[in-house]
Amino acid sequence: MKTLFFTILLIISTYASAQEISEDLKNVLQNDNVTELKKHLTAKDLDKCYKLDDTEYSLLTLSIKLNAKSCFAELVEQNASVEKTCNNKTPFMYTAKYNRLTMAKALVKAGVQIRVRNSDKQSALDFAKKYESKEIIEYIKSFNQ
């Protein structure tokens, strides 16, 4: 019975795991090349979690991490999920981690839930404090007034 359980678990985890991001797509984001992004972007790939360096990211969170402002704007315009969680972090949490105030404001404008917590009970404010993202801390606190 134990063997059957672990076999089923292994099969499920194999299908549920993120796919490796292609070199082309990685380069597009690293170079913030929105023209090339449009060529690579399909609706079914918009909200996938992609594996990069043993961590999972959505295209939106990768654009935040890499500070790819044009690609970020295009992904928001294409209705990428602003709530998609990969690696137990939402895009808004990544803006807090990397102190990307302009991107944080764009996510709020797109309807992001500011006070969402991950499975570890962490919020974007917790990430902003951990990474000393002073602008994001003040921005998030401004919603409490």
Side-chain angles (χ1 to χ4, degrees):
M1 185 69 170
K2 234 184 206 181
T3 305
L4 177 63
F5 173 77
F6 285 115
T7 303
I8 292 170
L9 187 61
L10 179 63
I11 291 169
I12 290 170
S13 67
T14 300
Y15 286 106
S17 65
Q19 73 181 50
E20 197 75 30
I21 190 165
S22 71
E23 279 301 313
D24 287 343
L25 194 50
K26 187 169 110 177
N27 288 333
V28 163
L29 291 168
Q30 286 175 329
N31 295 317
D32 197 18
N33 188 335
V34 74
T35 304
E36 286 298 313
L37 177 67
K38 288 178 183 180
K39 292 178 185 176
H40 287 86
L41 197 58
T42 65
K44 68 180 179 99
D45 296 331
L46 195 59
D47 292 322
K48 282 185 179 177
C49 291
Y50 293 91
K51 195 168 189 168
L52 176 67
D53 301 329
D54 296 324
T55 303
E56 294 180 7
Y57 303 93
S58 68
L59 294 177
L60 190 61
T61 57
L62 263 176
S63 70
I64 295 164
K65 175 183 172 63
L66 299 171
N67 203 23
K69 296 172 186 169
S70 297
C71 289
F72 171 86
E74 179 64 23
L75 290 164
V76 171
E77 186 175 312
Q78 293 293 324
N79 294 316
S81 173
V82 296
E83 302 293 348
K84 177 69 177 173
T85 300
C86 296
N87 196 39
N88 205 24
K89 293 181 194 79
T90 65
F92 196 64
M93 291 171 184
Y94 275 98
T95 64
K97 179 178 179 177
Y98 294 106
N99 199 31
R100 310 274 195 239
L101 183 60
T102 303
M103 292 174 171
K105 288 180 178 180
L107 291 176
V108 168
K109 187 176 179 182
V112 76
Q113 299 296 313
I114 296 168
R115 292 177 182 82
V116 167
R117 293 187 175 272
N118 64 16
S119 63
D120 295 328
K121 308 288 187 233
Q122 298 168 306
S123 67
L125 183 58
D126 294 323
F127 282 99
K129 289 176 180 177
K130 179 178 179 178
Y131 293 98
E132 300 178 6
S133 301
K134 292 176 176 48
E135 291 177 317
I136 301 291
I137 293 168
E138 294 306 314
Y139 181 63
I140 293 171
K141 285 183 175 181
S142 74
F143 289 94
N144 294 333
Q145 299 174 351

